[in-house]
Amino acid sequence: MSTTAPTIHVTRHETVVAAPPEEVFALVADVTRWPQVFGPTVYAEVTQDDGAEQSLHIWAFANGEVRSWASRRTLDRTAHSIVFRQVVSSAPVAAMGGEWRIEAEPAGGCRVVLLHDYSVVDDEADAAEWVARAVETNSVKELAALRETAEQAAAAAGGGEGGEGNELTFTFSDSERIKGSARDVYAFLDRADLWPERLPHVAATRFTEEDGGVQVLDMDTRSPDGSLHNTRSVRVSFPERGLLVYKQLKVPPVMAGHTGRWTVVQHGDEVTATSWHTVTLDPAGVRQALGESAAFADARALVRHALGTNSSTTLRHAKAYAEAARA
């Protein structure tokens, strides 16, 4: 067996952000917001947190493939830095760590530095090239998204966007109480490949599932006027937890991002099934679709109605399915 030490690859990416360092740090520190802010991140959750040390589980795209890993982070809120290290990596990554540094700029705003160090399985050249490409692509995308999100929030706080910047991202939910089994309700939501024959608003689906519960759902839905709309999402299924999370990859022009989750909770002989949506509006898209004078409140109401209608329809049919199965 070789005793040669693995090659350690080191990268550095940075950007300047016209926003206060504490606000940019808050965006990086709150990993639950990453799917909404960072394009590559599908889902992220904190599994342990004592304030300064965190354990995370992350699902994200790497070169077009969804990978997952577990990490530990140390947060220094005074220095605005976060050191991270993967504790369970996904091949061909053998080990990976790094640091976020948010440094105040003398002229205002801040500089964000993202460092990575990593090694690959067996020091294989093709694997090193694959990981280097993934790190480069994701780092550039993440820094650009972080800059855009932070600067948009800073402009809104300073009176930009008509003072409505705090309305750009919003969350809402719809629920059904069901007399049945959580297993049956979850099975209905999980088997999206069967939705065209089960849901009136779904015309067609193209559905695949990989190991680890990662699903890709390409779906055509019917609007009330009969027109078809295509959406594409990545979902991660946790049947043992009654949790199904997703990120929409193809969104309408009024949206900058859309993530969601289905939760199924058994209590006695009843189930509460809930559909959650988190949406970030695209100001330029809102103006283009609804007119230059459109208020974000109008866009919020439009999105709430469209997404809520489809979710409520799905929940009602899941209820009918589960209650019929119980009967």
Side-chain angles (χ1 to χ4, degrees), residues 7-30:
T7 302
I8 304 299
H9 304 264
V10 178
T11 67
R12 176 188 176 102
H13 296 82
E14 60 183 84
T15 189
V16 175
V17 183
E22 59 272 13
E23 295 181 9
V24 177
F25 176 83
L27 284 171
V28 179
D30 186 0

Side-chain angles (χ1 to χ4, degrees), residues 188-251:
F188 186 97
L189 300 172
D190 191 51
R191 290 297 303 275
D193 55 320
L194 300 178
W195 283 3
E197 60 195 67
R198 291 176 166 177
L199 295 173
H201 64 282
V202 177
T205 60
R206 291 152 294 277
F207 178 86
T208 60
E209 183 163 11
E210 304 168 6
D211 292 340
V214 175
Q215 305 172 349
V216 178
L217 173 61
D218 191 294
M219 180 168 61
D220 298 327
T221 57
R222 296 186 185 90
S223 295
D225 63 4
S227 60
L228 291 179
H229 298 271
N230 176 258
T231 59
R232 183 176 173 83
S233 302
V234 171
R235 313 198 310 173
V236 185
S237 177
F238 304 96
E240 70 285 352
R241 296 163 56 184
L243 175 66
L244 182 61
V245 302
Y246 61 89
K247 178 168 185 168
Q248 190 172 336
L249 305 178
K250 182 180 179 181
V251 296

Side-chain angles (χ1 to χ4, degrees), residues 40-55:
T41 307
V42 174
Y43 180 61
E45 61 183 8
V46 178
T47 57
Q48 187 177 1
D49 187 357
D50 66 7
E53 299 280 340
Q54 290 180 334
S55 295

Side-chain angles (χ1 to χ4, degrees), residues 84-294:
F84 59 89
R85 182 69 49 187
Q86 292 184 4
V87 294
V88 178
S89 299
S90 177
V93 176
M96 180 176 288
E99 183 178 3
W100 290 89
R101 297 176 184 167
I102 296 93
E103 306 163 346
E105 287 281 278
C110 60
R111 180 176 301 273
V112 181
V113 179
L114 176 56
L115 305 173
H116 285 93
D117 61 82
Y118 63 88
S119 60
V120 302
V121 175
D122 296 332
D123 254 349
E124 210 274 327
D126 288 344
E129 189 279 330
W130 190 96
V131 176
R133 183 156 38 95
V135 170
E136 174 68 20
T137 300
N138 286 10
S139 297
V140 170
K141 287 182 177 179
E142 287 168 359
L143 288 175
L146 182 66
R147 182 177 63 248
E148 181 179 1
T149 302
E151 291 182 350
Q152 201 169 64
E161 298 296 345
E164 296 179 304
N166 61 338
E167 297 183 0
L168 284 177
T169 298
F170 59 103
T171 299
F172 62 90
S173 65
D174 299 285
S175 294
E176 280 283 348
R177 297 273 289 193
I178 301 167
K179 293 186 180 296
S181 163
R183 180 182 61 187
D184 291 331
V185 176
Y186 192 89
F188 186 97
L189 300 172
D190 191 51
R191 290 297 303 275
D193 55 320
L194 300 178
W195 283 3
E197 60 195 67
R198 291 176 166 177
L199 295 173
H201 64 282
V202 177
T205 60
R206 291 152 294 277
F207 178 86
T208 60
E209 183 163 11
E210 304 168 6
D211 292 340
V214 175
Q215 305 172 349
V216 178
L217 173 61
D218 191 294
M219 180 168 61
D220 298 327
T221 57
R222 296 186 185 90
S223 295
D225 63 4
S227 60
L228 291 179
H229 298 271
N230 176 258
T231 59
R232 183 176 173 83
S233 302
V234 171
R235 313 198 310 173
V236 185
S237 177
F238 304 96
E240 70 285 352
R241 296 163 56 184
L243 175 66
L244 182 61
V245 302
Y246 61 89
K247 178 168 185 168
Q248 190 172 336
L249 305 178
K250 182 180 179 181
V251 296
V254 298
M255 297 183 196
H258 173 211
T259 60
R261 66 187 187 275
W262 301 90
T263 58
V264 181
V265 180
Q266 186 89 46
H267 37 86
D269 62 351
E270 287 194 340
V271 174
T272 299
T274 305
S275 168
W276 296 86
H277 297 272
T278 297
V279 174
T280 300
L281 298 176
D282 180 347
V286 169
R287 290 191 291 268
Q288 181 179 4
L290 303 182
E292 288 296 327
S293 61

